[in-house]
């Protein structure tokens, strides 16, 4: 059997590749339909305020439960939506759902803000800005309850253009958060120029900060730097209690991660906001 397989490896390889390409194409078509039919789900992951020990903010994360393949990771289908020019529609859908859920929470007197992830591609898209503006003018929720999370890659290519583009969102009353900070190559002057409110330290630095001296130093100095620039700091990917303790002592403002809560339904978020489970050390 081995000999046979080795006889025409080229042929077998090509066949495999073809099915993979076909799979991708059919998945792209299905994603198109899922976006149009509103079949995507939005779940929310809480951010814990380390000063008050309360959940004050959540992040919207999109989910696609494929009828045959089961749950698909956004890391797989977000790039697909970007390539197929459907990321604008997908993001507007997530934004609308987030605004609706925020409105429901606010109606119950709950004080919370919500973040939506914005792909690099959309930061400079007039179509996205115009349509987002339209959605926002139709809603009654206070605009200062919304945050847009953008990554360094969205802003690094042309800093002055990024400042102007992000200012459009700021003019709408939306706060800007720098996501996955530390994985890109932002310079300090550049960080100061952008109209940011929040900086999220990437999980890869946070996760071992309580046990690795280098990571601890990086996290601590990032927190200090961000504070000097007037930014609020979120540590993402907090999985351990000792990590949370480290972050509190380091003066971090907010923590997000599986320890605080996994991404979950709007109903469960409502319950979390109502009951406010304490994570005090
Ligand atoms: P992100 O914005 O950096 O989101 C954080 C990711 O880390 C989420 O994965 C979250 O579930 C995961 N995570 C949170 N806490 C922990 C933890 O303690 N440990 C570990 N190991 N992981 C944790 P998810 O939901 O799979 O999203 C992955 C990425 O997909 C996001 O990264 C974001 O870049 C993108 N994404 C998700 N939803 C959207 C969306 O609506 N629009 C856009 N443009 N991108 C999205
Ligand atoms: Mg994010
Ligand atoms: Mg992140
Ligand atoms: Mg990430």
């Amino acid at each position: 059997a081995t000999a046979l397989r080795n006889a025409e490896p080229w042929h077998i390889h090509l066949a495999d590749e073809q099915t993979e390409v076909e799979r991708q194409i059919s998945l792209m078509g299905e994603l198109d339909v899922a976006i149009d039919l509103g079949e995507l789900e939005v779940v929310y992951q809480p951010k814990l305020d380390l000063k008050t020990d309360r959940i004050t903010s959540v992040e919207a994360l999109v989910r696609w439960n494929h009828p045959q393949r089961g749950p698909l990771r956004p890391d797989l289908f977000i790039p697909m939506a970007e390539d197929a020019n459907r990321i604008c529609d997908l993001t507007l859908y997530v934004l609308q759902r987030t605004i609706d859920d925020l409105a429901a929470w606010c109606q119950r007197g709950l004080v919370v803000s919500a973040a939506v992830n914005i792909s690099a591609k959309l930061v400079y898209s007039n179509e996205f800005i115009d349509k987002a503006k339209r959605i926002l003018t139709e809603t009654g929720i206070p605009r200062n309850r919304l945050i847009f999370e953008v990554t360094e890659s969205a802003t690094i290519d042309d800093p002055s253009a990024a400042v102007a583009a992000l200012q459009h969102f700021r003019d709408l009353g939306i706060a800007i958060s720098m996501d996955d900070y530390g994985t890109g190559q932002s310079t300090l002057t550049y960080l100061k120029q952008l109209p940011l409110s929040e900086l999220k330290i990437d999980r890869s630095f946070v996760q071992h900060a309580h046990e690795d001296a280098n990571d601890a130093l990086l996290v601590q100095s990032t927190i200090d730097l961000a504070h000097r620039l007037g930014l609020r700091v979120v540590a993402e990917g907090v999985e351990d209690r000792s990590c949370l303790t480290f972050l509190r002592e380091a003066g971090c403002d907010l923590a997000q991660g599986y320890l605080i809560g996994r991404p979950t339904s709007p109903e469960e978020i409502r319950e979390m906001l109502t009951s406010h489970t304490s994570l005090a050390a």
Side-chain angles (χ1 to χ4, degrees):
T2 313
L4 194 68
R5 223 183 295 138
N6 288 339
E8 281 181 299
W10 168 83
H11 187 87
I12 290 164
H13 180 72
L14 192 69
D16 279 353
E17 214 159 71
Q18 209 142 29
T19 44
E20 184 48 35
V21 169
E22 275 165 20
R23 219 177 280 145
Q24 293 268 333
I25 289 170
S26 86
L27 204 55
M28 236 183 234
E30 288 167 309
L31 178 60
D32 252 4
V33 175
I35 294 169
D36 289 338
L37 297 182
E39 284 177 357
L40 301 178
E41 287 298 317
V42 179
V43 290
Y44 299 90
Q45 188 176 32
K47 297 179 188 171
L48 181 77
D49 186 314
L50 296 178
K51 306 279 181 314
T52 62
D53 208 33
R54 299 187 78 111
I55 307 295
T56 52
S57 190
V58 297
E59 175 180 7
L61 293 162
V62 70
R63 294 288 178 264
W64 183 15
N65 281 311
H66 191 278
Q68 280 86 42
R69 293 163 204 244
L72 296 175
R73 295 172 48 88
D75 289 333
L76 174 89
F77 66 85
I78 292 285
M80 213 176 251
E82 286 171 348
D83 290 345
N85 280 322
R86 291 307 304 270
I87 191 65
C88 183
D89 292 336
L90 183 150
T91 307
L92 291 169
Y93 172 75
V94 174
L95 179 64
Q96 183 69 65
R97 287 283 293 261
T98 303
I99 286 172
D100 292 346
D101 289 326
L102 253 181
W105 294 325
C106 291
Q107 225 159 30
R108 290 171 173 263
L110 300 168
V111 179
V112 63
S113 53
V116 172
N117 288 285
I118 306 296
S119 288
K121 254 191 151 174
L122 291 183
V123 169
Y124 302 97
S125 158
N126 288 326
E127 185 198 356
F128 175 71
I129 293 169
D130 289 346
K131 289 182 172 170
K133 213 181 269 180
R134 208 168 309 155
I135 291 177
L136 286 163
T137 45
E138 284 164 7
T139 154
I141 63 133
R143 305 234 177 125
N144 58 11
R145 299 282 180 94
L146 267 181
I147 301 161
F148 279 178
E149 292 190 10
V150 302
T151 56
E152 286 167 274
S153 60
T155 53
I156 204 81
D157 293 340
D158 187 349
S160 60
V163 172
L166 293 178
Q167 195 57 48
H168 279 117
F169 300 140
R170 284 303 291 262
D171 292 345
L172 295 175
I174 297 165
I176 310 295
S177 175
M178 175 71 78
D179 204 355
D180 303 337
Y181 181 74
T183 56
Q185 46 241 297
S186 300
T187 63
L188 304 185
T189 38
Y190 168 63
L191 205 59
K192 200 177 154 189
Q193 283 167 19
L194 293 175
L196 302 174
S197 303
E198 183 180 277
L199 196 133
K200 296 185 78 174
I201 307 178
D202 191 66
R203 182 166 89 215
S204 56
F205 303 101
V206 171
Q207 241 155 9
H208 304 288
H210 58 291
E211 55 191 13
D212 179 299
N214 286 327
D215 286 348
L217 189 66
L218 285 172
V219 169
Q220 180 70 71
S221 50
T222 303
I223 291 169
D224 297 342
L225 165 76
H227 283 166
R228 278 168 184 264
L229 293 173
L231 305 176
R232 167 174 84 222
V233 186
V234 184
E236 60 173 37
V238 180
E239 296 181 355
D240 293 284
R241 201 161 269 280
S242 39
C243 181
L244 190 67
T245 305
F246 168 83
L247 292 166
R248 274 186 210 284
E249 283 165 7
C252 189
D253 302 294
L254 297 146
Q256 189 182 21
Y258 293 165
L259 176 72
I260 289 112
R262 300 221 169 214
T264 185
S265 69
E267 292 76 24
E268 274 187 56
I269 290 292
R270 191 190 65 214
E271 275 165 33
M272 284 182 95
L273 290 169
T274 315
S275 65
H276 107 90
T277 14
S278 177
L279 266 173

